[in-house]
Amino acid sequence: MDFELTQEQRMIQDACRTFSRQQILPKARQWDIEEAYPRELLQELAKLGFLGVPIPEKYGGSGLDYISEAIVFEEIGYADSSVRTTLSVQMSLVELTILKYANEEQRKQYLPRLCSGEWVGCFGLTEPGAGSDAGNLVTRATRQGGDWLLNGQKVWISNGTWADLALIFAQTDPDKKHKGLAAFLVETRTPGFHSQKMKGKLGLRASDTGELFMENVRVPDSARLGEIGEGFKIAMGALDNGRYGVASGCVGIAQHALDCSVAYGKQRKAFGKAIAGTQLVQEMLANMLVETQAARLLVYQAGAVKNKGERCTIPVSMCKYYASEVAKRAADMAIQIHGGYGYSNEYAPERLWRDARVASLYEGTSQIQQLILGRHLTGLQAFEDEQQRVPAGLQA
Ligand code: CAA
C-alpha cells in the first residue's frame, strides 16, 4: 500500500490547482450571482486535458488513471462545484459510458468531440416520477421500422440545455420493468427534442440544469447504446463512475472550507486573540481535517479498485455517501467559524454550504448509498421487500 501520489499524478494536481485557483476560483462568486459561467471555459479545460482524463488518447482523451481523474475533480470542486458538475457529467456519466458500452463507430463519432469540449453531453435518467426508483422510467422507446421513436420527459438534468448529445434511458417494454430499459445516444438537434432551464436552485447556481422533452424523437437503431434490456445496468454502471466524481468534488469543497476557516480564524480576533487559537475553533478545524482526509482516502481506495477494472459499486457508494456528508459538515463549520461573515456571499463558506447540499441528493441520495451498503452487508434488500435477493456481484 502506497499513500504517495505518483509523479504524474502530482503534475496533474499542480497543473489543475494552478489553473482552477487562477482562472475559476476568483470568478466563482460572480458566476454564482449571474447563475451562469462561460461555456468557453470547457474548451480551456479541454486544452489541458481535463475533459477526458481517463479516456484513451486515441479517442481524444488524456489516457490517465482514475486517481488522476479524482484529483482533477477535487481541484475543480475546490474552486467551483458548478464547473465540477459539468465536468463530472461529461466525463464520468457520458464519456466513460460511451467508452464502455458503445461500438467503435459511436466511440469515434462522439468521444473526440466531448473530450475537446466542442460538444457537451448530458445524462437523461431522472424523470418527474422516477428519481431514486430509476428502474421505473416511463419515457418510451417504440420501434418503428428500423428506427426508434422516443417520447417522454426528463428533469434535473445537469448540462441539460447546453447538451449537444443526450444519453437517454427509455422503456422498450413496460412489462419487463427494469429489464426492458434501453439507452440511446440522442443528438439534441434531432426534431422533437426540446430543453428548458430549471431555475431557483439552492446551490450549483452557475451550472446548467434542464428539463428535457421528447416528442416523437426519431433516432436510428444505430443510436442505441448496448443491447435492448441493458439500459438499467448501463445506468447503474454510469452512476458508479458519476458518484466517484461527486465524491471527489466533495473532498474539494471540504478542503476549501478548511483552508478558508484556518485563514480566517488566524486573522479574526475576539477576546484579545485570534479565534483560531481558541480550543473550540481548533476542535472544529481538527474535525474538518480528519474528515476531509478520510473522505479523500475513501475516494482513492475506490479509484484503486477502478484502476484494476473491477466493479466498484461498494467502494464508490462508501466514498459518495461519506464525502457528501463531510462536505456539508465542513461547509457548515466554516460558516460557524466565520460567524456573521460566513452568512454573506462575500466569503466562500456560504456558497460552499449551498453547493455541498445537493451532493447527498443527486446521483443517488445518501439514503440510497446506505441501502446499497446495507444490502451488501446483510444480503437483504430494503428497497424491494417482496423479493429479498442479492444480485450477482453485490454479495458481501
Ligand atoms: N453495474 C452493473 N450492473 C448493475 C449495477 C452496477 N453498478 N447495479 C445493478 N446492476 C444490475 C444488477 O446486477 C441486476 O442485474 P440482474 O437483473 O441481471 O440481476 C440489475 O442491475 C438490477 O440491480 P438491482 O437489483 O441492484 O436494482 P435495484 O432496482 O434494486 O436498484 C437502486 C435499486 C440501487 C436503488 C437503484 O435504482 C439506484 O441506484 N437508484 C438511484 C438512482 C440515481 O442515482 N438517480 C440519480 C441519477 S442522475 C442525476 O442525479 C442527474 C444528473 O444530471 C447528475
Side-chain angles (χ1 to χ4, degrees):
M1 196 180 293
D2 184 357
F3 287 99
E4 294 294 313
L5 297 180
T6 64
Q7 199 186 350
E8 187 177 61
Q9 290 159 350
R10 277 203 309 274
M11 280 168 58
I12 299 292
Q13 190 177 48
D14 286 346
C16 194
R17 187 168 295 174
T18 303
F19 180 84
S20 59
R21 306 266 168 113
Q22 289 175 0
Q23 305 298 328
I24 299 177
L25 186 56
K27 301 168 190 160
R29 174 174 176 260
Q30 195 54 32
W31 292 340
D32 181 68
I33 292 168
E34 290 167 3
E35 300 201 8
Y37 73 88
R39 185 174 160 156
E40 300 76 61
L41 179 69
L42 297 183
Q43 263 128 20
E44 297 299 311
L45 288 163
K47 278 187 209 146
L48 296 164
F50 300 150
L51 228 54
V53 177
I55 303 299
E57 290 175 55
K58 68 172 176 168
Y59 299 119
S62 303
L64 297 171
D65 73 332
Y66 286 99
I67 303 289
S68 302
E69 190 196 27
I71 289 168
V72 166
F73 288 140
E74 178 182 335
E75 293 304 327
I76 308 274
Y78 185 107
D80 188 338
S81 292
S82 290
V83 179
R84 198 276 306 153
T85 294
T86 307
L87 248 66
S88 286
V89 171
Q90 178 101 341
M91 204 145 62
S92 310
L93 288 177
V94 180
E95 291 173 13
L96 282 173
T97 310
I98 292 176
L99 184 69
K100 180 158 181 195
Y101 289 99
N103 57 41
E104 194 55 16
E105 203 177 318
Q106 290 168 322
R107 286 184 192 149
K108 284 189 181 143
Q109 192 177 355
Y110 295 120
L111 287 175
R113 288 172 177 172
L114 292 166
C115 292
S116 68
E118 182 194 343
W119 275 31
V120 171
C122 72
F123 183 76
L125 180 69
T126 303
E127 298 182 352
S132 292
D133 190 4
N136 213 6
L137 305 182
V138 296
T139 293
R140 277 304 304 267
T142 329
R143 200 72 204 246
Q144 215 179 60
D147 297 337
W148 291 90
L149 281 187
L150 302 179
N151 281 286
Q153 184 186 352
K154 303 284 177 181
V155 285
W156 294 116
I157 306 302
S158 302
N159 303 350
T161 74
W162 275 11
D164 304 282
L165 182 69
L167 175 49
I168 295 291
F169 295 88
Q171 181 57 267
T172 63
D173 183 350
D175 291 339
K176 292 191 177 155
K177 307 224 161 115
H178 77 266
K179 289 184 193 294
L181 296 182
F184 298 89
L185 290 166
V186 183
E187 299 190 7
T188 59
R189 62 188 168 196
T190 312
F193 192 104
H194 303 286
S195 64
Q196 167 179 302
K197 240 184 189 12
M198 294 177 80
K199 295 241 177 201
K201 289 177 292 175
L202 173 72
L204 295 188
R205 291 194 180 155
S207 85
D208 175 48
T209 308
E211 274 179 280
L212 311 179
F213 304 91
M214 287 159 285
E215 275 175 66
N216 292 326
V217 173
R218 182 181 288 275
V219 293
D221 191 45
S222 58
R224 185 164 40 79
L225 184 74
E227 300 303 320
I228 299 162
E230 251 193 328
F232 188 77
K233 286 187 190 182
I234 294 175
M236 292 299 118
L239 285 166
D240 283 347
N241 293 322
R243 290 167 184 168
Y244 178 71
V246 173
S248 314
C250 284
V251 176
I253 294 179
Q255 186 65 51
H256 191 169
L258 174 59
D259 289 350
C260 67
S261 297
V262 170
Y264 182 82
K266 282 166 79 174
Q267 56 98 11
R268 173 73 184 180
K269 299 226 169 11
F271 305 104
K273 65 188 241 186
I275 62 167
T278 64
Q279 292 184 3
L280 292 178
V281 170
Q282 287 197 357
E283 183 193 22
M284 284 192 266
L285 296 175
N287 286 341
M288 289 159 89
L289 173 68
V290 173
E291 292 198 342
T292 304
Q293 184 62 4
R296 185 180 287 116
L297 291 176
L298 278 177
V299 167
Y300 288 175
Q301 187 202 20
V305 173
K306 288 165 76 67
N307 281 343
K308 284 197 271 181
E310 292 172 5
R311 179 147 168 204
C312 58
T313 305
I314 296 306
V316 162
S317 274
M318 284 201 281
C319 72
K320 159 72 163 71
Y321 168 49
Y322 187 68
S324 55
E325 296 297 330
V326 163
K328 286 194 293 188
R329 277 199 292 276
D332 200 59
M333 282 192 258
I335 291 181
Q336 200 65 22
I337 290 169
H338 283 70
Y341 294 106
Y343 202 63
S344 155
N345 74 353
E346 285 186 27
Y347 286 79
E350 178 262 358
R351 180 171 54 83
L352 296 175
W353 188 85
R354 286 188 289 105
D355 285 352
R357 189 60 188 85
V358 74
S360 55
L361 296 172
Y362 69 178
E363 302 200 30
T365 60
S366 282
Q367 286 69 30
I368 288 294
Q369 310 314 320
Q370 286 172 310
L371 295 181
I372 290 172
L373 297 172
R375 177 174 67 180
H376 167 70
L377 284 168
T378 62
L380 300 173
Q381 172 98 297
F383 29 74
E384 196 185 24
D385 57 2
E386 76 274 25
Q387 216 185 340
Q388 297 199 331
R389 65 184 173 90
V390 176
L394 273 182
Q395 281 103 343

